[in-house]
Amino acid sequence: MTVKTRFAPSPTGYLHVGGARTALYCWLYAKKQHGTFVLRIEDTDRERSSDASVQAILDGMQWLGLEHDEGPYYQTKRFERYAEVKEQLLAQGKAYRCYCSKERLDALREQQMVNKDNIGYDGHCRNLSEDEQDVSKPHVIRFKNPLEGAVVFEDLIKGEISVNNSELDDLIIARTDGTPTYNFTVVVDDLDMGISHVIRGDDHVNNTPRQINMMSALNAQTPLFAHVPMILGDDGKRLSKRHGAVSVMQYRDDGYLPQALLNYLVRLGWSHGDQEVFSRDEMVELFDIKDVNRAPSAFNTDKLNWLNQYYMKNLPAEEVARHLQWHLNEQELEVSHGVDVKLLIPEMAERVKTLKELASAIRYFYQDYDSFDEKAAKKHLRPVARQPLELAKEKLAATSDWSADHLHSLVSQTAEQLELGMGKVGMPLRVAVTGAGMSPDLGVTLEWIGKDAVLRRIDKALEFIAQREANG
Ligand code: GLU
């Protein structure tokens, strides 16, 4: 079988984490089976759909690198096709016109509730003859659901699912204004597009028996279905905006790498032994839709953070730099003059969780800080630090060898000469040049900051100490 999967979002909001995971599973399965991945935009609900949402979905997919092989198809461009299939079903007696008024349907529903019957259409118009109809009167089109038997299908994740036809009423496939309804467009599209595997959220599992009946009525072979359980927040409730960032692009804005989010999402509901880190190629190789958990999964931000740091440290620095650039632009940090940002990444990623934090943590390599970190200054820029800073400055100013090793030895010499521990020189100097108490190896830090800035900042620290002395 040639595998063809599709991701079919409705553009009524951004691409959220649950949708992204479904898209990832569809994409992975297609890749693994050397099949085709289709993107279909289900935009028939014109009131709730927007161009901005379409763009947000496309952006999210692109940022995650889930490129589609076919599409995007837009349902709003396929109305003629839906009308054609509707006519076909009518002509074959597999669908019918229903003239029931809203009042009748409301009363029916009320009665069913009182009787504790199944709620649904009672088939009142199902067998109207031509003579009994006036097609100029407002009407909807309903699908003639089989009355007998059951729909049974083998869900690739949930196992066998069986629903009696007696529980399914005759679904509206076209509204009074002629527009097609959701379940009908999905059926026509999945058949026309030759979808072999429908992988989607399990909020759609109740639609599947109806869709299978329509497919059978169209004499088509039904695809296989896999319904992916939902994602819960860390509090066990269904994941929603309340849980913070749920839009994929919000994760970019917050400083996550797409590799980390993808890796996180693939594990959210699927596993391969104890393995936590999966490259894209490994995911493709190892993923199988059958191994997706039946139970819902809970979102865990700590794990995502851990993966993000892992990828910041372990991806090629050029790759991280490419994503970091977005944050540098956001934070208006120009890094083209000064140390190559690629050198900083593995060193600095150790100390931060996100690219956003990374962008702000590397600022002192490119710009003088505005003020000292209060705690660090209080602790290390005290009057006793004046002499070590002055002597270190003298040595640093005089040297023509501005390499990390040599700079390091100048700091040691300063300490020896003053008969001080290395920390008594190193820490004030670190605070002086970075403005804060945390940086890579001091020699490396000095080298990367550069001579002019180092000397200028030591002066600034000495001034700070002098002021402190003056204030008692
Ligand atoms: N458009 C539907 C949604 O966004 C998905 C339909 C499907 O996958 O069959 O929930």
Side-chain angles (χ1 to χ4, degrees):
M1 176 183 0
T2 38
V3 166
K4 205 169 181 187
T5 63
R6 85 309 191 268
F7 177 52
S10 305
T12 54
Y14 40 58
L15 178 63
H16 56 83
V17 169
R21 185 185 58 163
T22 304
L24 172 62
Y25 287 179
C26 293
W27 182 86
L28 280 174
Y29 195 69
K31 293 294 134 186
K32 169 159 178 126
Q33 304 290 333
H34 306 287
T36 306
F37 173 56
V38 176
L39 178 61
R40 182 169 82 217
I41 305 291
E42 304 205 320
D43 54 352
T44 53
D45 183 344
R46 283 175 158 152
E47 253 162 44
R48 294 178 60 226
S49 302
S50 72
D51 291 346
S53 293
V54 172
Q55 197 52 49
I57 290 164
L58 296 176
D59 290 346
M61 297 288 282
Q62 192 188 27
W63 181 69
L64 288 170
L66 301 178
E67 65 281 2
H68 47 273
D69 305 303
E70 246 183 56
Y73 294 112
Y74 292 86
Q75 288 191 323
T76 43
K77 299 210 172 113
R78 290 176 45 79
F79 279 128
E80 270 176 42
R81 175 64 185 145
Y82 305 133
E84 190 176 282
V85 179
K86 176 189 73 182
E87 290 305 329
Q88 180 191 331
L89 287 173
L90 276 171
Q92 294 174 344
K94 293 172 176 170
Y96 62 93
R97 297 186 176 82
C98 167
Y99 301 86
C100 289
S101 65
K102 186 174 176 304
E103 291 69 35
R104 178 176 186 275
L105 295 175
D106 286 347
L108 173 67
R109 191 186 162 84
E110 215 161 287
Q111 195 56 52
Q112 286 168 337
M113 297 213 321
V114 171
N115 298 349
K116 298 204 164 63
D117 284 342
N118 284 342
I119 306 290
Y121 186 60
D122 60 354
H124 183 259
C125 297
R126 189 170 162 122
N127 297 311
L128 293 182
S129 67
E130 296 265 323
D131 296 345
E132 290 169 300
Q133 298 189 45
D134 176 357
V135 296
S136 69
K137 290 232 170 85
H139 60 269
V140 299
I141 309 295
R142 288 185 188 270
F143 172 67
K144 260 190 199 169
N145 198 78
L147 299 171
E148 312 280 316
V151 187
V152 183
F153 68 99
E154 188 68 26
D155 188 282
L156 295 174
I157 297 171
K158 293 177 180 286
E160 187 181 286
I161 294 181
S162 167
V163 176
N164 287 327
N165 276 319
S166 59
E167 288 171 38
L168 304 174
D169 66 349
D170 291 346
L171 190 78
I172 296 176
I173 62 172
R175 303 183 186 88
T176 314
D177 64 1
T179 55
T181 56
Y182 161 72
N183 274 292
F184 182 55
T185 57
V186 168
V187 162
V188 175
D189 287 350
D190 284 340
L191 295 182
D192 281 357
M193 293 168 196
I195 303 301
S196 66
H197 291 71
V198 171
I199 301 171
R200 60 183 168 201
D202 70 358
D203 46 336
H204 288 286
V205 72
N206 291 335
N207 292 323
T208 305
R210 296 175 179 284
Q211 293 179 6
I212 290 176
N213 279 338
M214 284 190 269
M215 288 173 167
S216 305
L218 290 163
N219 299 320
Q221 202 194 332
T222 51
L224 296 172
F225 291 90
H227 290 95
V228 183
M230 62 181 151
I231 302 176
L232 305 176
D234 354 41
D235 57 0
K237 302 232 171 73
R238 197 189 170 115
L239 194 66
S240 74
K241 281 187 204 156
R242 270 183 303 112
H243 298 95
V246 285
S247 151
V248 162
M249 294 316 269
Q250 186 64 47
Y251 284 93
R252 179 204 53 190
D253 298 357
D254 290 348
Y256 292 91
L257 284 161
Q259 288 85 348
L261 189 58
L262 277 186
N263 192 148
Y264 179 72
L265 290 176
V266 81
R267 279 284 292 103
L268 196 60
W270 171 82
S271 56
H272 181 75
D274 295 337
Q275 192 172 335
E276 288 295 351
V277 176
F278 296 86
S279 70
R280 240 169 198 281
D281 289 348
E282 269 178 310
M283 285 184 206
V284 170
E285 192 191 315
L286 299 171
F287 182 79
D288 195 333
I289 195 72
K290 294 188 184 75
D291 298 333
V292 171
N293 291 341
R294 284 181 182 201
S297 355
F299 205 84
N300 177 341
T301 307
D302 290 341
K303 198 151 153 194
L304 174 60
N305 287 339
W306 181 84
L307 280 166
N308 203 45
Q309 190 182 48
Y310 175 88
Y311 280 103
M312 285 195 291
K313 285 184 343 202
N314 291 288
L315 280 178
E318 303 87 78
E319 177 70 12
V320 180
R322 212 162 52 74
H323 292 286
L324 179 65
Q325 190 57 50
W326 188 89
H327 295 276
L328 296 174
N329 296 345
E330 276 297 287
Q331 298 182 25
E332 295 181 12
L333 180 59
E334 179 56 65
V335 299
S336 55
H337 309 284
V339 56
D340 185 346
V341 83
K342 291 198 281 295
L343 292 175
L344 299 180
I345 288 172
E347 220 20 86
M348 298 298 284
E350 197 67 57
R351 296 154 220 279
V352 293
K353 293 269 186 292
T354 66
L355 293 171
K356 191 174 175 177
E357 289 170 12
L358 183 58
S360 71
I362 65 171
R363 184 172 286 270
Y364 62 74
F365 288 108
Y366 302 96
Q367 271 180 11
D368 286 357
Y369 46 82
D370 292 333
S371 58
F372 293 102
D373 173 77
E374 217 174 299
K375 246 172 84 187
K378 196 165 175 203
K379 184 153 176 217
H380 299 292
L381 299 185
R382 286 181 296 155
V384 288
R386 191 163 49 78
Q387 203 187 14
L389 283 177
E390 277 169 354
L391 186 58
K393 187 191 160 196
E394 212 179 291
K395 291 184 191 298
L396 293 167
T399 186
S400 56
D401 179 356
W402 199 261
S403 65
D405 284 348
H406 185 66
L407 297 170
H408 197 92
S409 73
L410 291 180
V411 180
S412 313
Q413 283 169 28
T414 306
E416 273 164 38
Q417 211 171 313
L418 296 174
E419 295 181 3
L420 289 170
M422 186 61 178
K424 293 268 187 297
V425 183
M427 276 319 291
L429 190 55
R430 173 171 276 124
V431 177
V433 299
T434 66
M438 201 181 70
S439 81
D441 169 84
L442 189 53
V444 172
T445 304
L446 293 170
E447 181 188 320
W448 286 349
I449 290 175
K451 189 167 185 172
D452 288 350
V454 163
L455 299 180
R456 189 169 61 236
R457 293 180 196 177
I458 294 176
D459 281 341
K460 196 165 163 175
L462 286 167
E463 235 171 76
F464 179 89
I465 294 173
Q467 228 161 50
R468 201 165 162 178
E469 278 178 311
N471 294 342

